[in-house]
Amino acid sequence: EYYQKGMSQKELDQEKGRLIGNYLTSLRAPNAIAQRLGQAIALGLGISYLDSYVAKTKQVTLEQANTAVRTYLNPTNMVTVVSGTISK
């Protein structure tokens, strides 16, 4: 449905709140901060990324989000992966 109609402003606001909340919660422990710093460095984002994440997330517009959905979540390119033990 997101791909065809796009998300609403309310859905975007909820998702941004969830992302920001999860991010801030993930920084509660020193080892988690170190892990986030390592990820930012490995991805070439620099250590300042940790400080700018919340502001950058808040700045995402509905148009940007819907463009990303149409670009990266095309249902015709998706696959289903199933794992586990097959019952005999």
Side-chain angles (χ1 to χ4, degrees):
E1 190 172 313
Y2 279 160
Y3 184 76
Q4 293 175 344
K5 297 180 183 178
M7 65 174 58
S8 68
Q9 186 63 52
K10 180 181 176 182
E11 290 168 326
L12 176 61
D13 292 342
Q14 288 173 336
E15 187 60 23
K16 288 195 290 188
R18 185 190 66 78
L19 287 170
I20 291 168
N22 286 346
Y23 176 76
L24 294 174
T25 300
S26 76
L27 296 176
R28 288 188 176 172
N31 62 330
I33 295 170
Q35 182 180 14
R36 290 281 186 176
L37 280 170
Q39 290 171 340
I41 292 167
L43 294 172
L45 301 171
I47 59 174
S48 64
Y49 181 74
L50 272 69
D51 294 327
S52 64
Y53 178 85
V54 171
K56 287 182 178 187
T57 301
K58 287 180 179 180
Q59 291 173 352
V60 173
T61 67
L62 184 59
E63 182 180 350
Q64 290 171 323
N66 283 324
T67 297
V69 166
R70 285 187 210 78
T71 301
Y72 299 108
L73 296 180
N74 186 334
T76 60
N77 295 332
M78 292 184 179
V79 296
T80 301
V81 177
V82 180
S83 67
T85 305
I86 298 174
S87 299
K88 293 183 179 184

